[in-house]
Amino acid sequence: MLSFRTTEYNGCACKYSPFYDNKLAIATSANYGLVGNGKLYILTIQDNGQITQDSAFETQDGLFDVAWSELHENQMLASSGDGTISLFDFTLPDFPIMKFKEHQREVFSVNWNLVEKSMFCSASWDGSVKVWSPVRGQSLMTLVSPRKDQRHSSHIDLGGSFTGAAGPDGAKGLVPTPKGGGNNMSLPLSTSKPTVPNPINDCVYQATFSPHDPSTLISVNSSSHYQV
């Protein structure tokens, strides 16, 4: 079995490159993601079976997930405990080429849309799923999963583009949350890692786009709900 040791860092996520069959991206955190820095590794499996490190990026907070770009063979996303998502290019060392800052708690999941490749989504402990474009600093849409005791029958209609549908128990699904009544749906920018509990929304642990329909995604959260 091949192996590579991420010394002093605990692995949290690993993904194969969609462009290179021998390249991997590894997201890691110090101290199991509880406190400390993170590190993103870009590795290559050589023909002789040896795994070598192409590059690595150290981050100020732990990394929980990684997703390769579907548009550019050298780029990948990493989600962080400080609520940010960073876009890295492994041919450009030291710093991310773009950073997305809207989530107010840890970002636990990032996923690139395999059909509409100009979009990716993120899931956070702030109770929201956000849809992004890699060339835009602000999110395209925010989907909120309210706590079970706060769900009700009202909904937000975004011009027919998306409406949260009530489930069999009357609970709402993911509900788009507009900012200022416009089409730019986002939460306030986060400037530091929050440390307070989240009394408003259930933590969303993962969100994933459908590989068949570019407009559909699924998520799971801490209230034991799977939502479409």
Side-chain angles (χ1 to χ4, degrees):
M1 180 178 66
L2 306 180
S3 66
F4 178 90
R5 183 170 179 81
T6 56
T7 306
E8 299 182 357
Y9 290 92
N10 309 110
C12 293
C14 55
K15 299 288 173 61
Y16 265 104
S17 166
F19 296 96
Y20 303 102
D21 61 3
N22 63 339
K23 284 194 183 296
L24 311 170
I26 313 294
T28 67
S29 298
N31 305 304
Y32 304 98
L34 298 176
V35 65
N37 299 340
K39 195 170 185 178
L40 176 66
Y41 293 87
I42 309 302
L43 309 177
T44 294
I45 304 175
Q46 303 292 346
D47 292 339
N48 60 5
Q50 183 181 5
I51 299 178
T52 59
Q53 177 179 309
D54 293 347
S55 57
F57 300 89
E58 294 189 2
T59 57
Q60 293 184 345
D61 213 301
L63 300 179
F64 292 123
D65 199 10
V66 62
W68 285 89
S69 168
E70 291 290 330
L71 295 173
H72 197 295
E73 67 271 18
N74 298 333
Q75 296 179 3
M76 72 292 302
L77 296 164
S79 63
S80 176
D82 63 3
T84 64
I85 306 160
S86 297
L87 181 64
F88 293 95
D89 187 314
F90 66 76
T91 64
L92 303 174
D94 301 328
F95 301 105
I97 59 175
M98 194 163 186
K99 186 168 280 192
F100 307 90
K101 303 179 181 180
E102 286 188 12
H103 283 296
Q104 299 183 69
R105 293 197 67 192
E106 293 89 338
V107 183
F108 221 59
S109 166
V110 284
N111 179 254
W112 211 285
N113 195 317
L114 299 179
V115 182
E116 178 49 68
K117 298 184 177 183
S118 62
M119 294 190 300
F120 65 90
C121 68
S122 58
S124 171
W125 288 9
D126 65 8
S128 71
V129 174
K130 289 181 178 287
V131 179
W132 307 82
S133 165
V135 297
R136 175 174 166 166
Q138 294 178 311
S139 63
L140 303 174
M141 175 176 285
T142 297
L143 307 173
V144 177
S145 176
R147 293 183 69 89
K148 187 174 182 180
D149 57 1
Q150 293 177 332
R151 294 175 180 134
H152 50 80
S153 60
S154 65
H155 68 268
I156 299 172
D157 191 342
L158 300 178
S161 59
F162 184 97
T163 302
D169 59 354
K172 294 300 291 177
L174 295 175
V175 180
T177 303
K179 179 180 179 181
N183 291 327
N184 177 23
M185 290 152 283
S186 59
L187 297 176
L189 295 181
S190 172
T191 56
S192 62
K193 182 179 179 181
T195 57
V196 298
N198 182 12
I200 300 177
N201 299 312
D202 292 308
C203 297
V204 184
Y205 289 108
Q206 188 173 28
T208 305
F209 276 108
S210 166
H212 313 290
D213 185 344
S215 301
T216 300
L217 57 82
I218 58 175
S219 73
V220 288
N221 63 32
S222 58
S223 70
S224 302
H225 278 80
Y226 150 85
Q227 297 177 306
V228 181

